[in-house]
Amino acid sequence: MAPVSLVLLLSILGTPGLGDPGPLEDVVIDRYYIPKICLREVQMGDFIRYHYNGTFKDGKKFDSSYDRGATVAGVVGVGRLITGMDRGLQGMCVNERRHLIVPPHLGYGSIGVAGLIPPDATLYFDVIMLDIWNKNDKLQITTLSKPERCNRTVENSDFVRYHYNGTLLDGTPFDSSYSKNSTYDTYVGTGWLIKGMDQGLLGMCAGEKRSIIIPPFLAYGEKGYRTVIPPQASLVFSVLLVDFHNPKDGIFLEHLVVPESCKRRAVTGDFVRYHYNGTLMDGTLFDSSYSRNHTYNTYIGKGYIIPGMDQGLQGVCMGERRRVVVPPHLAYGENGTGDKIPGSAVLIFDVHIIDFHNPADPVEIETVYRPEGCNVTTRDRDFVRYHYNCSLLDGTKLFSSHDYEKPQEVTLGTNKVIEGLNSGLLNMCVGERRVLIVPPHLGHGESGARGVPGSAVLRFEVELISMEEGVPEGYLFIWHGEPPTSLYEHMDLNKDGEIPPDEFSTFIKTQVAEGKGRLMPSSDAEKVIADMFRNQDRNQDGKITAEELKLKTDEDQEKIHEEL
């Protein structure tokens, strides 16, 4: 079936064999290309931009906008165009193409145009419509996509970073931030942008995509812009808002998970260990402590980290998860840093607080259970047996005495366990259970230990199983009363003038058994006695003589005299 326009054309011009139908009464329109999408049709009073070629019936060209290198812009239906064009352009869509046949009385009539169009000339136009707008038009904003989360939208005086593709209404591209591999960064509502963009960016969320159609009077108007934007051109921007902030913004905090129990909150001067993911507002990951499998450890409030994080970590609880949104003036500013954080970028940190402490913190002791009628408690130099579970504050299990056959054994105050654990085991009753929170300066310090991260706060669950009274520092054995007179004769059991190891051991064990003295408590009494013998065997010949045997009290007195 022939197109309607072609049928109309044939009916006016006549068909072969029927004779000359005579002159045309109206413009003949052939819509030989109609775009699939037509958001708007030309109406009287609209401003339009179009290209055309004008020819006579024999194909001779009399005019062409293409040859002049500029589109034609004008108003339809107000007498500024020849009548045939005014009528022929009605109802056109952007990118539509038409053939128009304009009879003389709707063109230049019997006068013509001197030197260009003869009298009574029928004119043929090939037209493509490029732009349509009206002085009553407003900005056309279409939201293409929008993030689920949107805490704030763009307002006047905000600084925005966005990507865009810019085209004319017919789809001709004139600019793109993507081709420059850089966002367009500017203030909104302060005259830095064309009016249409100033208005079109308002109310956007970070991550939102919009299509913004701007009429010429809100864009570059009658002058256009250089060679890329013609006069009276409507502009179409496809915009992706990457991020925005206001120079007056502070940080924004979102408390994602706050533990029910929060005995203390971090303050300036605390040392914090935390994990984080750092992203830009469009979700681009720029850094992560998880990828390094190591917490980020730092003091807060002392300038060791960006100001926004110094502020954002104030008041955190152990175990808390928090989102900290940091504007660029509290982060890396206009210059950004490295190749992952661009200038003027808003940063989002999703933080998980592992632990924190202050260098002045003592061991925190919580008594879970204490037996009634407890009169005897542990002191320095006591020998204790205890069970323990050790973990990080996030619950990560490190060590447990229950993994071994016997409880842990130690003489308190002998630097055999970390200082915090030693302190936490003092003044305990047998059967007592405690929870100890040990800061790293009383634990394994900045370097940590095998299986223990550096600067880690440790949590111990301890239960005292047994205790034995100790001896003063430097002693392996003490008398409960005065030692025997003529000690050497008593110790020389066979009276041969020398004391070998077996005699020494037998004598000491007898004193302990009779309650006359006690050994330094240990799980290996034989080793303690052997150490005592070595101390007395001055020349290491395997026997103790009368000259070699000296009580420690006598040795200490001799040292005092030497010092004096």
Side-chain angles (χ1 to χ4, degrees):
M1 180 176 180
V4 174
S5 58
L6 181 56
V7 173
L8 177 62
L9 180 62
L10 291 174
S11 65
I12 294 175
L13 296 179
T15 55
L18 298 179
D20 187 356
L24 298 175
E25 295 183 1
D26 203 351
V27 62
V28 177
I29 301 171
D30 178 13
R31 304 178 69 185
Y32 70 91
Y33 175 75
I34 303 174
K36 292 181 179 180
I37 298 176
C38 182
L39 301 177
R40 180 173 182 171
E41 296 180 348
V42 176
Q43 299 178 14
M44 291 184 64
D46 282 345
F47 287 79
I48 58 173
R49 281 193 317 107
Y50 60 95
H51 263 310
Y52 73 90
N53 282 317
T55 63
F56 299 117
K57 186 176 182 179
D58 61 3
K60 182 180 179 182
K61 186 188 299 183
F62 63 82
D63 194 13
S64 173
S65 62
Y66 296 99
D67 294 345
R68 293 193 297 273
T71 55
V72 178
V75 182
V76 176
V78 294
R80 295 181 184 177
L81 301 172
I82 60 174
T83 305
M85 283 295 279
D86 256 346
R87 296 182 184 180
L89 298 174
Q90 294 284 331
M92 284 191 79
C93 304
V94 172
N95 285 327
E96 181 177 344
R97 293 176 180 269
R98 288 185 177 184
H99 288 305
L100 305 179
I101 303 176
V102 180
H105 66 282
L106 298 179
Y108 294 98
S110 58
I111 298 176
V113 177
L116 182 64
I117 298 175
D120 297 320
T122 299
L123 307 179
Y124 295 76
F125 294 93
D126 187 81
V127 181
I128 179 172
M129 185 60 60
L130 302 177
D131 201 342
I132 308 168
W133 59 279
N134 193 287
K135 61 183 180 181
N136 296 320
D137 283 350
K138 297 180 179 179
L139 213 60
Q140 297 181 51
I141 298 175
T142 304
T143 299
L144 305 177
S145 66
K146 194 171 185 177
E148 293 182 5
R149 299 173 58 86
C150 184
N151 296 320
R152 187 166 85 81
T153 60
V154 174
E155 300 174 359
N156 279 324
S157 80
D158 283 343
F159 188 88
V160 295
R161 296 196 310 118
Y162 62 93
H163 271 302
Y164 69 91
N165 286 316
T167 66
L168 303 179
L169 205 60
D170 66 345
T172 301
F174 62 81
D175 196 12
S176 173
S177 64
Y178 296 97
S179 66
K180 304 180 184 71
N181 198 31
S182 176
T183 54
Y184 192 82
D185 308 340
T186 189
Y187 287 94
V188 173
T190 56
W192 292 93
L193 294 165
I194 57 175
K195 291 182 179 179
M197 280 299 280
D198 258 346
Q199 297 174 23
L201 293 170
L202 293 176
M204 287 191 78
C205 302
E208 182 176 344
K209 291 182 179 180
R210 280 185 179 181
S211 172
I212 305 172
I213 302 178
I214 304 175
F217 55 86
L218 294 177
Y220 294 97
E222 296 180 1
K223 295 182 179 179
Y225 183 75
R226 296 180 179 174
T227 59
V228 293
I229 298 177
Q232 302 289 21
S234 300
L235 306 181
V236 180
F237 288 92
S238 177
V239 176
L240 168 62
L241 185 63
V242 174
D243 71 17
F244 67 97
H245 73 280
N246 195 283
K248 297 178 181 179
D249 283 348
I251 61 170
F252 175 80
L253 296 180
E254 187 174 354
H255 303 278
L256 304 177
V257 177
V258 180
E260 292 182 6
S261 174
C262 184
K263 295 180 179 179
R264 186 166 88 81
R265 295 178 180 272
V267 296
T268 293
D270 283 343
F271 189 87
V272 184
R273 295 196 314 123
Y274 60 96
H275 270 303
Y276 70 91
N277 284 321
T279 63
L280 305 179
M281 286 191 81
D282 64 357
T284 301
L285 183 72
F286 63 80
D287 194 16
S288 174
S289 63
Y290 296 98
S291 66
R292 295 187 290 274
N293 197 31
H294 194 283
T295 55
Y296 192 84
N297 309 330
T298 187
Y299 288 95
I300 62 170
K302 290 191 169 185
Y304 291 110
I305 49 180
I306 58 174
M309 283 299 282
D310 252 349
Q311 297 174 25
L313 294 173
Q314 295 283 337
V316 293
C317 298
M318 292 185 189
E320 181 176 348
R321 294 180 184 271
R322 177 181 285 194
R323 177 168 292 148
V324 185
V325 181
V326 183
H329 51 276
L330 295 176
Y332 295 99
E334 296 180 4
N335 297 323
T337 185
D339 57 357
K340 292 187 176 180
I341 299 180
S344 300
V346 177
L347 307 182
I348 299 177
F349 294 90
D350 283 332
V351 175
H352 180 205
I353 304 301
I354 302 302
D355 62 32
F356 62 86
H357 73 281
N358 193 282
D361 283 348
V363 176
E364 182 182 328
I365 300 175
E366 178 188 355
T367 299
V368 178
Y369 171 75
R370 188 179 178 92
E372 294 182 2
C374 172
N375 297 318
V376 179
T377 60
T378 53
R379 297 177 298 175
D380 261 344
R381 312 303 301 174
D382 285 351
F383 181 74
V384 297
R385 292 179 177 86
Y386 62 97
H387 271 304
Y388 74 92
N389 292 314
C390 177
S391 63
L392 301 179
L393 291 191
D394 65 355
T396 302
K397 179 181 175 182
L398 298 180
F399 314 105
S400 175
S401 63
H402 297 282
D403 295 335
Y404 304 93
E405 294 181 358
K406 297 180 180 180
Q408 186 79 4
E409 299 176 342
V410 71
T411 298
L412 298 177
T414 57
N415 298 318
K416 299 299 183 181
V417 293
I418 58 174
E419 185 178 347
L421 180 56
N422 191 92
S423 298
L425 290 169
L426 292 173
N427 303 312
M428 284 190 78
C429 301
V430 173
E432 183 175 343
R433 296 194 300 274
R434 289 178 174 180
V435 172
L436 312 176
I437 305 299
V438 180
H441 54 276
L442 299 176
H444 293 284
E446 295 181 8
S447 302
R450 189 172 183 179
V452 180
S455 300
V457 178
L458 302 179
R459 183 181 189 274
F460 286 91
E461 297 172 350
V462 295
E463 179 182 6
L464 187 63
I465 305 302
S466 66
M467 60 176 286
E468 297 177 38
E469 187 179 1
V471 298
E473 184 176 0
Y475 286 76
L476 297 175
F477 175 89
I478 61 171
W479 300 96
H480 289 160
E482 290 296 324
T485 56
S486 303
L487 177 61
Y488 191 84
E489 286 77 5
H490 282 80
M491 195 175 290
D492 183 8
L493 301 179
N494 61 6
K495 310 303 180 184
D496 62 353
E498 59 184 29
I499 303 171
D502 57 337
E503 279 188 346
F504 183 85
S505 177
T506 300
F507 174 79
I508 295 297
K509 289 179 180 179
T510 300
Q511 303 306 302
V512 172
E514 294 176 354
K516 295 179 180 178
R518 70 175 185 273
L519 285 166
M520 182 186 80
S522 170
S523 58
D524 189 352
E526 296 291 347
K527 181 178 183 303
V528 176
I529 295 173
D531 288 342
M532 291 175 63
F533 182 86
R534 278 194 298 272
N535 289 343
Q536 297 298 322
D537 182 11
R538 312 291 174 172
N539 61 8
Q540 302 298 306
D541 63 353
K543 59 188 178 183
I544 301 173
T545 64
E547 291 75 18
E548 289 177 319
L549 183 65
K550 290 181 182 179
L551 294 176
K552 190 174 190 312
T553 51
D554 296 334
E555 292 178 348
D556 292 343
Q557 193 64 32
E558 287 179 5
K559 289 181 180 177
I560 291 173
H561 288 305
E562 289 173 2
E563 290 172 359
L564 292 175

